[in-house]
């Protein structure tokens, strides 16, 4: 984190490690010792045209950066699939948790790598999937044969592996319509892979491919969700936080930094810029009509954020506003707010209701922090009767009592 006039401070983001529980079962220990890796399937990236390589290279770069603190991993692209192979001593469990949150990955699977022979594939299916198959009653096998030189076709491979599994697990029967477990076999150029059901990834497109924008971030529920949604569309984020000491506490700012660390698990590296805002609020309180206070505050936030965004090389602003949620988020109030900015302003939550926003915040693990009772600058000096349908000329008239340029420069 850094303030506009202060030093940079290192913000350590938790690695999201998932340590293996003590007393692992024999099956768990056996799986750990097998040649295990991660298969990542791409989402809408496969629909890109001539610039598809740009998106794929950005995704690979993001994966390598996220996994670097966990040890050595080989990350490579082959046939629209990214393979992540751990090196000696690498934190494989931590890597699984991290790739789950990387935008651009639609699904991923923990897979066993084996040589390309029917004997090896059958043996891998029996041993690698034993913990899953020993606890269910029905299964089916699906095969994808990318290497057309392999001597068996896909139906033959599925039939052979299925027969081996039926011999190894007397509890199993085949159900091709609604199986408890689907065993997946992939025969690729360099090896064969065996895995179970894929897990859902974060989706979206790689961060950095959608440009750079500044997000106005508070300690509430909405703005972290807005940040996550724009990062999902490939936008690199510069968070701007407005603090009003002594009216807001240092703990309120720390809360925002913690919220961003959770968003960063998806959005990648970010630097939060904190803007001292108390002087602006005091000037508005002293010189402007009370019912315009909220709108004028928002207009100054837009001006200051745009100035910082230009310095940081951003092309747009992002806010967490939802239409009609509060007094400053009516159509007229939003229009009066946007009048103070020249950059495009994106509002990804504009058509969502509160329950939908809360559902996303729970999904990305920001809700519990957002509801902690630390006031931010938006809740300081709240007017008793805010103007919900302000006329633009009246807003400009109320603002004329202030030295706008001097206050923006001071921020």
């Amino acid at each position: 984190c850094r303030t506009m006039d202060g030093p940079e401070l290192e913000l350590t983001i938790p690695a999201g490690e998932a340590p293996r529980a003590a007393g692992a079962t024999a099956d768990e220990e056996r799986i750990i010792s097998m040649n295990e890796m991660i298969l990542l399937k791409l989402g809408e990236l496969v629909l890109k045209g001539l610039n598809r390589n740009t998106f794929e290279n950005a995704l690979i770069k993001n994966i390598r950066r996220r996994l670097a603190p966990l040890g050595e991993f080989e990350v490579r692209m082959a046939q629209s699939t990214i393979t992540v192979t751990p090196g000696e001593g690498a934190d494989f469990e931590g890597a699984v948790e991290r790739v789950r949150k990387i935008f651009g990955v639609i699904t991923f699977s923990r897979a066993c790598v084996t040589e390309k022979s029917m004997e090896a594939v059958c043996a891998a299916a029996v041993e690698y999937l034993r913990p899953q198959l020993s606890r269910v009653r029905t299964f089916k096998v699906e095969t994808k044969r990318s290497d057309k030189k392999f001597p068996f076709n896909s139906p033959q491979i599925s039939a052979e592996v299925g027969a081996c599994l039926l011999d190894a697990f007397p509890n199993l029967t085949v159900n091709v319509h609604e199986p408890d477990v689907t065993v997946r076999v992939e025969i690729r150029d360099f090896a064969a892979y065996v895995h179970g059901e894929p897990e859902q990834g974060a989706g979206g497109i790689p961060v950095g491919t959608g440009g750079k924008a500044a997000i106005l971030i508070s300690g509430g529920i909405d703005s972290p969700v807005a940040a996550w949604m724009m990062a999902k569309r490939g936008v690199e984020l510069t968070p701007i936080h407005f603090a009003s000491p002594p009216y807001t506490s240092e703990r309120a700012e720390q809360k925002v930094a913690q919220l961003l660390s959770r968003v960063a698990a998806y959005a990648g590296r970010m630097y939060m810029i904190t803007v001292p805002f108390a002087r602006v609020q005091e000037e508005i309180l002293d010189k402007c009509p009370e019912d315009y206070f909220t709108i004028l505050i928002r207009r100054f936030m837009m001006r200051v954020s745009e100035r910082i965004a230009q310095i940081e090389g951003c092309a747009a602003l992002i806010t967490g506003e939802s239409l009609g949620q509060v007094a400053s988020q009516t159509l007229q109030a939003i229009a009066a707010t946007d009048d103070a900015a020249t950059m495009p302003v994106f509002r990804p939550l504009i058509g969502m209701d509160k329950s939908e926003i809360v559902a996303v915040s729970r999904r990305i693990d920001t809700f519990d922090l957002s509801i902690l009772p630390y006031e931010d600058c938006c809740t300081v000096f709240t007017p008793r009767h805010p103007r919900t349908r302000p006329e633009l000329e009246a807003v400009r008239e109320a603002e004329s009592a202030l030295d706008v340029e001097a206050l923006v420069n001071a921020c």
Side-chain angles (χ1 to χ4, degrees):
C1 307
R2 61 184 170 91
T3 59
M4 287 300 289
D5 57 353
E8 292 193 3
L9 303 175
E10 192 71 25
L11 175 63
T12 301
I13 299 173
E17 297 177 353
R20 197 171 296 114
T25 65
D27 280 335
E28 289 169 337
E29 292 294 346
R30 174 187 49 74
I31 290 172
I32 293 166
S33 66
M34 296 185 75
N35 191 12
E36 194 173 25
M37 47 84 71
I38 310 173
L39 291 175
L40 308 180
K41 304 294 185 179
L42 311 186
E44 60 188 275
L45 270 65
V46 300
L47 303 177
K48 301 300 180 183
L50 297 177
N51 62 345
R52 175 174 167 177
N53 285 343
T54 301
F55 289 85
E56 292 176 344
N57 291 337
L59 177 55
I60 291 173
K61 181 179 178 181
N62 289 346
I63 293 170
R64 286 172 175 160
R65 182 187 298 121
R66 300 283 188 88
L67 299 185
L70 304 180
E72 293 293 329
F73 290 87
E74 181 188 26
V75 182
R76 60 190 300 270
M77 171 73 71
Q79 300 168 320
S80 299
T81 300
I82 294 177
T83 59
V84 178
T85 306
E88 185 70 27
D91 181 1
F92 185 77
E93 298 296 331
V96 170
E97 291 306 308
R98 290 204 170 190
V99 300
R100 189 189 306 277
K101 298 178 179 179
I102 296 177
F103 289 129
V105 177
I106 190 69
T107 62
F108 69 96
S109 304
R110 299 170 66 134
C112 176
V113 189
T114 186
E115 66 181 66
K116 291 192 295 183
S117 69
M118 282 307 311
E119 294 80 6
V121 170
C122 287
V126 170
E127 290 305 311
Y128 185 65
L129 297 176
R130 184 180 295 277
Q132 298 178 49
L133 296 175
S134 61
R135 295 193 293 265
V136 299
R137 299 177 61 185
T138 62
F139 81 105
K140 72 173 181 178
V141 181
E142 290 184 355
T143 300
K144 180 178 180 180
R145 186 185 65 143
S146 299
D147 180 6
K148 302 307 180 184
K149 296 179 180 179
F150 193 73
F152 298 89
N153 62 29
S154 294
Q156 290 171 334
I157 297 169
S158 294
E160 189 71 21
V161 172
C164 292
L165 295 176
L166 287 172
D167 288 341
F169 301 98
N171 56 299
L172 289 180
T173 58
V174 175
N175 184 335
V176 297
H177 299 295
E178 295 182 348
D180 295 327
V181 170
T182 298
V183 175
R184 288 175 164 81
V185 178
E186 300 187 31
I187 308 297
R188 294 181 170 271
D189 287 349
F190 299 100
Y193 305 94
V194 176
H195 59 91
E197 300 285 356
E199 298 185 52
Q200 195 67 34
I205 59 178
V207 172
T209 59
K212 187 176 181 180
I215 170 79
L216 281 69
I217 192 84
S218 71
I221 296 172
D222 300 341
S223 57
V225 173
W228 178 84
M229 292 180 70
M230 293 304 296
K232 188 175 183 179
R233 300 314 305 159
V235 176
E236 181 183 347
L237 301 173
T238 296
I240 301 174
H241 174 62
F242 291 85
S244 298
Y247 308 107
T248 58
S249 67
E250 184 178 348
R251 296 188 71 178
E253 187 175 346
Q254 292 172 349
K255 169 187 170 182
V256 175
Q258 288 179 306
L259 283 169
L260 285 173
S261 74
R262 296 190 181 184
V263 175
Y266 297 89
R269 180 176 52 199
M270 294 184 288
Y271 294 101
M272 183 177 81
I273 296 172
T274 300
V275 178
F277 206 55
R279 180 182 168 190
V280 172
Q281 293 180 291
E282 290 169 345
E283 285 284 305
I284 294 174
L285 183 67
D286 290 342
K287 299 179 180 179
C288 302
E290 181 185 0
D291 53 345
Y292 285 100
F293 182 78
T294 302
I295 297 298
L296 297 179
I297 284 293
R298 300 293 296 175
R299 285 169 64 87
F300 270 93
M301 286 181 172
M302 287 295 182
R303 291 188 180 100
V304 173
S305 297
E306 184 172 85
R307 185 80 63 84
I308 296 171
Q310 291 168 347
I311 296 170
E312 297 292 322
C314 300
L317 303 177
I318 305 166
T319 75
E321 292 163 306
S322 171
L323 187 62
Q325 188 176 129
V326 295
S328 64
Q329 296 176 17
T330 63
L331 281 176
Q332 295 88 341
I334 289 173
T337 299
D338 282 359
D339 175 68
T342 60
M343 277 186 173
V345 181
F346 296 140
R347 295 178 170 89
L349 312 186
I350 195 69
M352 298 175 67
D353 61 35
K354 198 64 177 184
S355 62
E356 293 171 320
I357 298 169
V358 167
V360 177
S361 72
R362 291 185 186 278
R363 174 184 168 189
I364 64 176
D365 197 28
T366 58
F367 179 77
D368 60 328
L369 278 176
S370 294
I371 61 175
L372 293 177
Y374 302 130
E375 286 194 334
D376 57 39
C377 71
C378 295
T379 58
V380 176
F381 307 134
T382 302
R384 290 168 293 180
H385 303 289
R387 188 67 65 105
T388 58
R389 292 176 173 81
E391 295 182 2
L392 183 55
E393 289 305 318
V395 172
R396 290 172 175 171
E397 176 64 27
E399 199 174 62
S400 65
L402 303 170
D403 188 342
V404 173
E405 189 66 18
L407 288 172
V408 171
N409 287 337
C411 286

